mmCIF file of all heavy atoms in Angstrom:
data_model
loop_
_atom_site.group_PDB
_atom_site.id
_atom_site.type_symbol
_atom_site.label_atom_id
_atom_site.label_comp_id
_atom_site.label_asym_id
_atom_site.label_seq_id
_atom_site.Cartn_x
_atom_site.Cartn_y
_atom_site.Cartn_z
ATOM 1 N N LEU A 89 7.998 -73.796 -154.353
ATOM 2 C CA LEU A 89 7.785 -75.099 -153.721
ATOM 3 C C LEU A 89 7.881 -74.892 -152.217
ATOM 4 O O LEU A 89 8.932 -74.490 -151.702
ATOM 5 C CB LEU A 89 8.825 -76.110 -154.205
ATOM 6 C CG LEU A 89 8.771 -76.424 -155.706
ATOM 7 C CD1 LEU A 89 9.840 -77.440 -156.076
ATOM 8 C CD2 LEU A 89 7.386 -76.929 -156.105
ATOM 9 N N THR A 90 6.793 -75.150 -151.514
ATOM 10 C CA THR A 90 6.737 -74.848 -150.085
ATOM 11 C C THR A 90 7.346 -75.936 -149.210
ATOM 12 O O THR A 90 7.470 -75.763 -148.005
ATOM 13 C CB THR A 90 5.282 -74.609 -149.636
ATOM 14 O OG1 THR A 90 4.538 -75.836 -149.764
ATOM 15 C CG2 THR A 90 4.627 -73.521 -150.474
ATOM 16 N N GLY A 91 7.687 -77.083 -149.802
ATOM 17 C CA GLY A 91 8.313 -78.139 -149.023
ATOM 18 C C GLY A 91 7.435 -78.697 -147.924
ATOM 19 O O GLY A 91 7.908 -79.047 -146.842
ATOM 20 N N GLY A 92 6.151 -78.765 -148.172
ATOM 21 C CA GLY A 92 5.228 -79.325 -147.196
ATOM 22 C C GLY A 92 4.397 -78.294 -146.470
ATOM 23 O O GLY A 92 3.400 -78.641 -145.821
ATOM 24 N N LEU A 93 4.759 -77.019 -146.530
ATOM 25 C CA LEU A 93 3.987 -75.973 -145.875
ATOM 26 C C LEU A 93 2.679 -75.776 -146.634
ATOM 27 O O LEU A 93 2.673 -75.699 -147.862
ATOM 28 C CB LEU A 93 4.790 -74.667 -145.855
ATOM 29 C CG LEU A 93 4.301 -73.559 -144.909
ATOM 30 C CD1 LEU A 93 4.398 -74.022 -143.457
ATOM 31 C CD2 LEU A 93 5.138 -72.291 -145.113
ATOM 32 N N CYS A 94 1.577 -75.659 -145.896
ATOM 33 C CA CYS A 94 0.254 -75.659 -146.517
ATOM 34 C C CYS A 94 -0.198 -74.291 -147.009
ATOM 35 O O CYS A 94 -1.365 -74.123 -147.388
ATOM 36 C CB CYS A 94 -0.783 -76.211 -145.533
ATOM 37 S SG CYS A 94 -0.975 -75.204 -144.028
ATOM 38 N N HIS A 95 0.700 -73.301 -147.028
ATOM 39 C CA HIS A 95 0.310 -71.959 -147.439
ATOM 40 C C HIS A 95 1.549 -71.152 -147.798
ATOM 41 O O HIS A 95 2.667 -71.523 -147.440
ATOM 42 C CB HIS A 95 -0.426 -71.251 -146.290
ATOM 43 C CG HIS A 95 0.407 -71.145 -145.051
ATOM 44 N ND1 HIS A 95 0.462 -72.157 -144.125
ATOM 45 C CD2 HIS A 95 1.257 -70.179 -144.603
ATOM 46 C CE1 HIS A 95 1.300 -71.812 -143.151
ATOM 47 N NE2 HIS A 95 1.796 -70.617 -143.423
ATOM 48 N N LEU A 96 1.339 -70.057 -148.463
ATOM 49 C CA LEU A 96 2.403 -69.095 -148.695
ATOM 50 C C LEU A 96 2.458 -68.102 -147.545
ATOM 51 O O LEU A 96 1.442 -67.821 -146.912
ATOM 52 C CB LEU A 96 2.153 -68.321 -149.993
ATOM 53 C CG LEU A 96 2.661 -68.912 -151.301
ATOM 54 C CD1 LEU A 96 2.226 -68.038 -152.461
ATOM 55 C CD2 LEU A 96 4.173 -69.063 -151.275
ATOM 56 N N GLU A 97 3.643 -67.546 -147.307
ATOM 57 C CA GLU A 97 3.809 -66.492 -146.310
ATOM 58 C C GLU A 97 4.496 -65.305 -146.969
ATOM 59 O O GLU A 97 5.118 -65.426 -148.029
ATOM 60 C CB GLU A 97 4.629 -67.006 -145.122
ATOM 61 C CG GLU A 97 3.944 -68.126 -144.368
ATOM 62 C CD GLU A 97 4.733 -68.595 -143.149
ATOM 63 O OE1 GLU A 97 5.777 -67.981 -142.847
ATOM 64 O OE2 GLU A 97 4.307 -69.580 -142.524
ATOM 65 N N ALA A 98 4.382 -64.147 -146.327
ATOM 66 C CA ALA A 98 4.955 -62.927 -146.896
ATOM 67 C C ALA A 98 6.461 -63.042 -147.095
ATOM 68 O O ALA A 98 7.012 -62.510 -148.065
ATOM 69 C CB ALA A 98 4.620 -61.730 -146.006
ATOM 70 N N ALA A 99 7.163 -63.733 -146.192
ATOM 71 C CA ALA A 99 8.614 -63.880 -146.326
ATOM 72 C C ALA A 99 8.966 -64.648 -147.598
ATOM 73 O O ALA A 99 9.934 -64.315 -148.296
ATOM 74 C CB ALA A 99 9.185 -64.590 -145.108
ATOM 75 N N GLN A 100 8.200 -65.691 -147.910
ATOM 76 C CA GLN A 100 8.435 -66.434 -149.145
ATOM 77 C C GLN A 100 8.173 -65.561 -150.358
ATOM 78 O O GLN A 100 8.922 -65.585 -151.334
ATOM 79 C CB GLN A 100 7.521 -67.658 -149.193
ATOM 80 C CG GLN A 100 7.808 -68.711 -148.144
ATOM 81 C CD GLN A 100 6.712 -69.751 -148.106
ATOM 82 O OE1 GLN A 100 5.545 -69.421 -147.920
ATOM 83 N NE2 GLN A 100 7.081 -71.003 -148.298
ATOM 84 N N MET A 101 7.112 -64.783 -150.282
ATOM 85 C CA MET A 101 6.788 -63.879 -151.377
ATOM 86 C C MET A 101 7.941 -62.923 -151.642
ATOM 87 O O MET A 101 8.391 -62.776 -152.781
ATOM 88 C CB MET A 101 5.537 -63.072 -151.017
ATOM 89 C CG MET A 101 4.230 -63.789 -151.247
ATOM 90 S SD MET A 101 3.722 -63.731 -152.982
ATOM 91 C CE MET A 101 3.311 -61.994 -153.138
ATOM 92 N N ARG A 102 8.403 -62.291 -150.587
ATOM 93 C CA ARG A 102 9.473 -61.311 -150.756
ATOM 94 C C ARG A 102 10.719 -61.947 -151.369
ATOM 95 O O ARG A 102 11.360 -61.384 -152.253
ATOM 96 C CB ARG A 102 9.810 -60.661 -149.418
ATOM 97 C CG ARG A 102 11.041 -59.762 -149.469
ATOM 98 C CD ARG A 102 11.164 -58.933 -148.221
ATOM 99 N NE ARG A 102 10.182 -57.870 -148.189
ATOM 100 C CZ ARG A 102 9.961 -57.093 -147.119
ATOM 101 N NH1 ARG A 102 10.639 -57.309 -146.012
ATOM 102 N NH2 ARG A 102 9.071 -56.130 -147.169
ATOM 103 N N GLY A 103 11.063 -63.145 -150.903
ATOM 104 C CA GLY A 103 12.245 -63.819 -151.421
ATOM 105 C C GLY A 103 12.152 -64.104 -152.908
ATOM 106 O O GLY A 103 13.141 -64.006 -153.636
ATOM 107 N N HIS A 104 10.962 -64.445 -153.381
ATOM 108 C CA HIS A 104 10.791 -64.788 -154.796
ATOM 109 C C HIS A 104 10.546 -63.557 -155.673
ATOM 110 O O HIS A 104 10.532 -63.676 -156.900
ATOM 111 C CB HIS A 104 9.643 -65.781 -154.962
ATOM 112 C CG HIS A 104 10.017 -67.179 -154.582
ATOM 113 N ND1 HIS A 104 9.981 -67.632 -153.278
ATOM 114 C CD2 HIS A 104 10.464 -68.220 -155.328
ATOM 115 C CE1 HIS A 104 10.380 -68.898 -153.241
ATOM 116 N NE2 HIS A 104 10.676 -69.269 -154.467
ATOM 117 N N LEU A 105 10.341 -62.406 -155.045
ATOM 118 C CA LEU A 105 10.085 -61.201 -155.831
ATOM 119 C C LEU A 105 11.306 -60.298 -155.927
ATOM 120 O O LEU A 105 11.219 -59.201 -156.464
ATOM 121 C CB LEU A 105 8.904 -60.426 -155.229
ATOM 122 C CG LEU A 105 7.545 -61.132 -155.307
ATOM 123 C CD1 LEU A 105 6.451 -60.251 -154.716
ATOM 124 C CD2 LEU A 105 7.198 -61.495 -156.752
ATOM 125 N N GLU A 106 12.443 -60.753 -155.419
ATOM 126 C CA GLU A 106 13.671 -59.972 -155.551
ATOM 127 C C GLU A 106 14.136 -60.015 -157.012
ATOM 128 O O GLU A 106 14.494 -61.062 -157.536
ATOM 129 C CB GLU A 106 14.751 -60.525 -154.626
ATOM 130 C CG GLU A 106 14.440 -60.310 -153.150
ATOM 131 C CD GLU A 106 15.545 -60.840 -152.252
ATOM 132 O OE1 GLU A 106 16.561 -61.331 -152.794
ATOM 133 O OE2 GLU A 106 15.380 -60.764 -151.018
ATOM 134 N N GLY A 107 14.084 -58.864 -157.669
ATOM 135 C CA GLY A 107 14.460 -58.799 -159.076
ATOM 136 C C GLY A 107 13.438 -59.389 -160.021
ATOM 137 O O GLY A 107 13.728 -59.602 -161.212
ATOM 138 N N TRP A 108 12.261 -59.672 -159.546
ATOM 139 C CA TRP A 108 11.198 -60.283 -160.347
ATOM 140 C C TRP A 108 9.868 -59.825 -159.778
ATOM 141 O O TRP A 108 9.770 -59.549 -158.587
ATOM 142 C CB TRP A 108 11.312 -61.816 -160.259
ATOM 143 C CG TRP A 108 10.462 -62.552 -161.255
ATOM 144 C CD1 TRP A 108 10.788 -62.879 -162.537
ATOM 145 C CD2 TRP A 108 9.135 -63.054 -161.043
ATOM 146 N NE1 TRP A 108 9.759 -63.547 -163.144
ATOM 147 C CE2 TRP A 108 8.725 -63.668 -162.249
ATOM 148 C CE3 TRP A 108 8.237 -63.026 -159.968
ATOM 149 C CZ2 TRP A 108 7.474 -64.251 -162.407
ATOM 150 C CZ3 TRP A 108 6.994 -63.601 -160.107
ATOM 151 C CH2 TRP A 108 6.619 -64.213 -161.324
ATOM 152 N N PRO A 109 8.789 -59.718 -160.575
ATOM 153 C CA PRO A 109 8.706 -59.966 -162.008
ATOM 154 C C PRO A 109 9.381 -58.866 -162.818
ATOM 155 O O PRO A 109 9.848 -57.876 -162.246
ATOM 156 C CB PRO A 109 7.189 -59.991 -162.260
ATOM 157 C CG PRO A 109 6.616 -59.125 -161.195
ATOM 158 C CD PRO A 109 7.479 -59.349 -159.984
#
Side-chain angles (χ1 to χ4, degrees):
L89 297 180
T90 66
L93 195 64
C94 63
H95 59 274
L96 273 176
E97 296 183 5
Q100 294 170 304
M101 279 279 290
R102 172 168 287 171
H104 283 84
L105 294 182
E106 292 181 2
W108 192 86

